[in-house]
């Protein structure tokens, strides 16, 4: 058995293979069942949208990088969805937004973020 196996539960065969892998796993192994995280296509679209914002839009009269736009949109999206936003004092006294990773977002959550960005851009051109 390899050290790590993944199964996308899309049909009975995949489910049966996953069950068999659990049956044969050595003591101490961990099983995690979770929603699928973002796809490569979603990631490409997200970064294309952020790149377009970085090239063509300003925020409070300032040009921002892709990463800066990402921080703003993830934070705003959390607010809109009623999720917590955590801003803490940084090591040197600066303010830091501790945001969730887009790489760990589910497909559904990233779709929602992408739709939020598209709507915001349409309203702010």
């Amino acid at each position: 058995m390899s050290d790590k196996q993944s199964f996308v539960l899309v049909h009975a065969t995949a489910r049966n293979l996953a069950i068999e892998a659990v049956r044969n796993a050595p003591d101490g192994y961990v099983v995690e069942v979770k929603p699928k995280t973002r796809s490569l296509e979603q990631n490409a679209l997200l970064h294309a949208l952020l790149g377009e914002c970085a090239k063509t839009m300003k925020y409070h009269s300032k040009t921002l990088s892709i990463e800066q736009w990402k921080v703003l949109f993830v934070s705003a999206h959390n607010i809109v969805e009623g999720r917590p936003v955590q801003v803490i004092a940084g090591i040197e006294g600066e303010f830091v937004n501790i945001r969730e990773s887009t790489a760990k977002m589910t497909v559904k959550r990233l779709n929602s973020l992408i739709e939020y960005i598209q709507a915001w851009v349409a309203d702010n051109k």
Side-chain angles (χ1 to χ4, degrees):
M1 171 184 246
S2 74
D3 285 345
K4 183 175 179 181
Q5 295 182 25
S6 290
F7 302 92
V8 179
L9 304 177
V10 293
H11 48 67
T13 302
R15 288 178 188 280
N16 289 333
L17 289 170
I19 291 166
E20 194 59 31
V22 171
R23 277 195 191 106
N24 294 326
D27 289 347
Y29 268 49
V30 175
V31 175
E32 185 177 69
V33 178
K34 62 182 184 175
K36 183 180 177 192
T37 55
R38 72 175 184 191
S39 68
L40 293 176
E41 294 81 13
Q42 283 181 303
N43 186 51
L45 177 55
L46 174 65
H47 282 269
L49 290 168
L50 295 170
E52 196 59 30
C53 287
K55 286 181 202 167
T56 64
M57 302 197 70
K58 292 190 183 286
Y59 186 75
H60 290 285
S61 303
K62 293 186 175 159
T63 301
L64 303 177
S65 70
I66 289 173
E67 284 302 315
Q68 290 168 322
W69 279 109
K70 186 188 284 188
V71 169
L72 282 176
F73 282 125
V74 170
S75 180
H77 186 247
N78 279 345
I79 295 294
V80 167
E81 289 199 333
R83 292 173 176 255
V85 174
Q86 187 177 13
V87 178
I88 63 172
I91 294 168
E92 298 295 333
E94 77 282 14
F95 292 105
V96 180
N97 181 349
I98 306 297
R99 68 169 183 83
E100 71 183 299
S101 167
T102 57
K104 294 181 180 177
M105 287 183 177
T106 63
V107 169
K108 182 179 177 182
R109 181 136 170 77
L110 194 59
N111 273 341
S112 179
L113 175 61
I114 288 169
E115 289 172 6
Y116 177 82
I117 293 170
Q118 290 170 325
W120 188 90
V121 168
D123 287 344
N124 290 279
K125 278 204 167 195

